Amino acid sequence: MNILGLDTAQPACSAALLMEGGALFARFEEMTKGHAEALAPMAGAVLEEAGIAPADLDLIAVTIGPGTFTGTRVALSFARGLGAALRLPVLGLTSLEVLAEPALAREGELIAASFDARRGEIYLQLFEPDLTPASAPALAKLEGLTLPGDLSARPLCLVGTGSALLAEALEDIHALRASGAPSLPQAAAAARLAKAHVARAGLPALGAPPEPLYLREADAKLPKAGGALR
Amino acid sequence: MTLSRDMIVLGLETSCDETAAAIVRRRADGTGELLANQILSQMDHAAYGGVVPELAARAHVTHLDALITAALSEAKLDFTDLDGIAATAGPGLIGGVLVGLMTAKGLAFAHGLPLIGVNHLEGHALTARLTDEAPFPYLLLLVSGGHCQLLIVEGVGRYERLGATIDDAVGEAFDKTAKMMGLGYPGGPAVEKAAASGNADRFALPRPLTGREGCDFSFSGLKTAVRKALLDLEEVGPQDKADLAASFQKAVGDILARQTGKALEMAGARLGPAPRLVVAGGVAANRYLRTRLEALCQERGAQLIVPPPKLCTDNGAMIAWAGAERLALGLSDPLDLAARARWPLTDLAAS
């Protein structure tokens, strides 16, 4: 099975091809803008390097957020277009599970994958060392942050750009350390997670493409009386 | 290079609050045919009295691929029947533009098809060639929620601007007027409806830039005058609103007719012996304004061409058509094409 992984949810852009035999071709670049320009050429480059055509793909794995609103939609729109045109299933993965994938946690630790959401908040999701989710992805206020009861005594293994903020908020409560894994999502990790997903649950259904996971409402205030003066 | 064969192009439009996918055939002789026209007008913005960019972008990504599938099934075609994929690459609300452009890149990448990044304004500018086989050159009055300009259209990618608004777009003036009076959103149809039973001579509203050289537009003073007239009323009933809407609409009609008349003069012989005026953009759907422009054209011996309303407001067909026109000239774009929030038509020289 050939899996194309795509990510533009955070300040990085990446594409990776995980092939049937396990060969991996990947491109990754940190960037705060320019994802929409960089993504398709990166996808083209990994396929070309592997010597396969888009029609040889079996599955597309894409991050659905949380991340920047616009960035999240860049890879997701591309993936949905690609999936529709090739009649391929598209598997959506949270950017937090993709962040957690390369983190090597010790027994008893929780992987805390986070993304700086600004405004004193982070996007946070917790995982067991085998990547089983221990919490749902959530937008969390840093001030007064605590983890749910049964997780409150666990040491943490931190990954993601929210790590420093999370460490500051929780260091008096939890033993914690940096995971050493990359702090931005990697499409290669998305492809590996997708492979594991298929082994566990089979291919996702066709024609049911993933939706973005924003976790934060759009900034829009309803005007009083619809803005009417009289 | 000119490709002298029929071409079938899918076009995606996501630059504002319409999510649209359409398919056109452009025949080798330059005539066209609309094969599918799918459009979803987002209703979520009405309560806000205007388009909320982030909400629009969220709706685009959720609905666009289903509209593409529906367009293909309406045209009874498959992706492999397409010769190119066109999408609005700007100008517009960038979050939404990116959804359409990235979807188009995904489709183009999948089957190795040419990608055509279309200037949304060029889509409006060329629609009359699809609907009315309008030959070049013609004078274009582009009137929409985001734009108000007069251009000479000499060819694909060849535009000369004679005048443009120096402040608000005309559709924006309609929206703001409707909002102030609580008539609803979008403002164009709401004002037109209210104006139908109003006395257009009751309120004396200004016609900005009267007596000024050139054919630029200004609507901000008119909007302020509507606001003042509304606040000056002791009580406001439905008839007052109807009268104010009619007075506003008449002022807009006067302004558009006067400046378009001046543009016809400025263009002069460049439009040839039988000048054509094409009106495009959502405001072209307004029947009163259309009547005013009809009268102007009759007086000047010009031919008025207004595409049907559903192809005047934002749609995918105009993007597919502009894409087909560019493709026929051998023009397409690389997959690293950037979206542009601002992109004047006059920056669009066909290379």
Side-chain angles (χ1 to χ4, degrees), chain A residues 36 80 85 211 216 229, chain B residues 58 62 65 105 111 180 233:
Chain A
R80 286 176 65 147
E211 289 292 327
R216 184 182 260 167
L229 296 174
Chain B
R58 289 183 178 198
T62 295
D65 48 11
K105 286 183 181 183
H111 294 294
M180 286 189 269
L233 287 169

Side-chain angles (χ1 to χ4, degrees), chain A residues 69-70 73 214 218-221, chain B residues 14-17 42 44-45 48 50-61 92-99 185:
Chain A
F69 294 164
T70 297
R73 286 188 290 263
Y214 298 110
D219 267 328
K221 287 204 175 69
Chain B
T14 57
S15 69
C16 194
D17 59 342
Q42 303 173 7
D44 344 356
H45 306 283
Y48 297 92
V51 178
V52 182
E54 176 60 22
L55 291 181
R58 289 183 178 198
H60 290 311
V61 76
L93 302 172
I94 196 75
V97 171
L98 281 168
V99 169
Y185 179 86

Side-chain angles (χ1 to χ4, degrees), chain A residues 103-112 126-132 134 147 151 153-158 174-180:
Chain A
L104 294 175
R106 298 170 190 144
E107 202 177 320
E109 280 183 334
L110 278 175
I111 302 171
L126 304 166
F127 300 89
E128 296 295 341
D130 68 357
L131 297 179
T132 308
L147 301 187
L151 304 177
R154 302 270 297 268
L156 303 177
C157 170
L158 308 180
H174 289 260
L176 45 84
R177 68 180 180 96
S179 71

Side-chain angles (χ1 to χ4, degrees), chain A residues 120-208:
Chain A
E121 297 179 312
I122 55 169
Y123 296 110
L124 173 67
Q125 190 175 13
L126 304 166
F127 300 89
E128 296 295 341
D130 68 357
L131 297 179
T132 308
S135 72
L139 179 64
K141 268 202 174 14
L142 285 161
E143 199 183 326
L145 179 67
T146 54
L147 301 187
D150 52 334
L151 304 177
S152 59
R154 302 270 297 268
L156 303 177
C157 170
L158 308 180
V159 62
T161 58
S163 293
L165 295 167
L166 192 59
E168 202 179 312
L170 292 178
E171 63 192 353
D172 295 341
I173 314 171
H174 289 260
L176 45 84
R177 68 180 180 96
S179 71
S183 62
L184 291 165
Q186 316 270 322
R192 287 191 295 264
L193 283 173
K195 187 176 181 178
H197 175 96
V198 173
R200 198 171 60 238
L203 283 170
L206 270 179

Side-chain angles (χ1 to χ4, degrees), chain B residues 193-202 238-247:
Chain B
K193 190 172 168 218
S197 55
N199 171 7
D201 298 317
R202 174 167 161 201
Q239 191 56 48
D240 301 301
K241 290 184 180 180
D243 293 346
L244 189 52
S247 301

Side-chain angles (χ1 to χ4, degrees), chain A residues 68-97:
Chain A
T68 66
F69 294 164
T70 297
T72 294
R73 286 188 290 263
V74 164
L76 185 57
S77 302
F78 183 73
R80 286 176 65 147
L82 201 52
L86 295 170
R87 293 199 172 75
L88 283 183
V90 181
L91 178 68
L93 299 156
T94 76
S95 57
L96 298 172
E97 60 188 314

Side-chain angles (χ1 to χ4, degrees), chain B:
Chain B
M1 182 178 70
T2 302
L3 304 178
S4 55
R5 60 179 177 87
D6 282 18
M7 258 170 308
I8 299 176
V9 174
L10 168 72
L12 309 180
E13 158 59 30
T14 57
S15 69
C16 194
D17 59 342
E18 252 86 32
T19 315
I23 301 170
V24 300
R25 183 201 312 276
R26 185 187 184 278
R27 300 188 197 90
D29 65 4
T31 62
E33 184 186 352
L34 183 54
L35 302 178
N37 192 25
Q38 296 287 325
I39 183 155
L40 178 85
S41 297
Q42 303 173 7
M43 301 310 290
D44 344 356
H45 306 283
Y48 297 92
V51 178
V52 182
E54 176 60 22
L55 291 181
R58 289 183 178 198
H60 290 311
V61 76
T62 295
H63 299 295
L64 184 58
D65 48 11
L67 289 168
I68 293 166
T69 307
L72 284 164
S73 115
E74 184 188 346
K76 299 188 175 60
L77 293 173
D78 198 356
F79 283 105
T80 47
D81 298 315
L82 302 174
D83 295 292
I85 310 287
T88 299
L93 302 172
I94 196 75
V97 171
L98 281 168
V99 169
L101 183 58
M102 290 312 296
T103 303
K105 286 183 181 183
L107 301 175
F109 180 81
H111 294 294
L113 290 170
L115 170 77
I116 308 106
V118 170
N119 180 303
H120 177 87
L121 305 177
E122 181 163 60
H124 282 303
L126 299 179
T127 300
R129 291 170 53 73
L130 168 67
T131 57
D132 296 86
E133 297 175 18
F136 297 126
Y138 48 81
L139 179 69
L140 173 73
L141 172 64
L142 178 57
V143 277
S144 70
H147 303 277
C148 185
Q149 42 188 295
L150 281 158
L151 305 115
I152 300 179
V153 180
E154 288 172 335
V156 175
R158 291 165 56 207
Y159 306 94
E160 186 188 331
R161 195 159 75 183
L162 300 179
T165 181
I166 57 173
D167 42 53
D168 293 349
V170 58
E172 199 178 347
F174 270 94
D175 283 341
K176 286 175 179 168
T177 293
K179 189 173 176 176
M180 286 189 269
M181 292 198 276
L183 296 176
Y185 179 86
V191 169
E192 185 178 3
K193 190 172 168 218
S197 55
N199 171 7
D201 298 317
R202 174 167 161 201
F203 294 94
L205 299 172
R207 275 71 170 154
L209 304 186
T210 301
R212 206 84 79 78
E213 265 188 44
C215 51
D216 283 338
F217 300 91
S218 168
F219 295 101
S220 117
L222 175 58
K223 175 189 69 191
T224 307
V226 169
R227 180 188 163 87
K228 186 169 181 305
L230 188 63
L231 292 173
D232 282 351
L233 287 169
E234 275 181 25
E235 290 200 15
V236 185
Q239 191 56 48
D240 301 301
K241 290 184 180 180
D243 293 346
L244 189 52
S247 301
F248 164 80
Q249 192 172 254
K250 187 180 178 192
V252 172
D254 286 351
I255 295 165
L256 291 183
R258 185 191 66 211
Q259 300 305 75
T260 306
K262 280 162 84 176
L264 281 168
E265 278 163 34
M266 283 166 73
R270 293 177 57 191
L271 296 176
R276 285 171 294 275
L277 170 66
V278 170
V279 188
V283 179
N286 182 297
R287 277 154 300 188
Y288 169 78
L289 297 177
R290 189 181 166 141
T291 312
R292 296 295 306 270
L293 294 166
E294 259 162 20
L296 171 77
C297 284
Q298 211 151 37
E299 184 189 308
R300 304 296 178 92
Q303 183 194 355
L304 179 70
I305 301 173
V306 189
K310 70 176 173 128
L311 297 182
C312 276
T313 48
D314 289 353
N315 64 85
M318 68 181 198
I319 303 306
W321 177 252
E325 293 251 66
R326 295 186 81 77
L327 199 55
L329 294 171
L331 300 169
S332 65
D333 293 292
L335 288 177
D336 67 352
L337 179 70
R340 295 174 65 171
R342 293 179 54 81
W343 187 9
L345 258 186
T346 42
D347 279 10
L348 204 69
S351 47

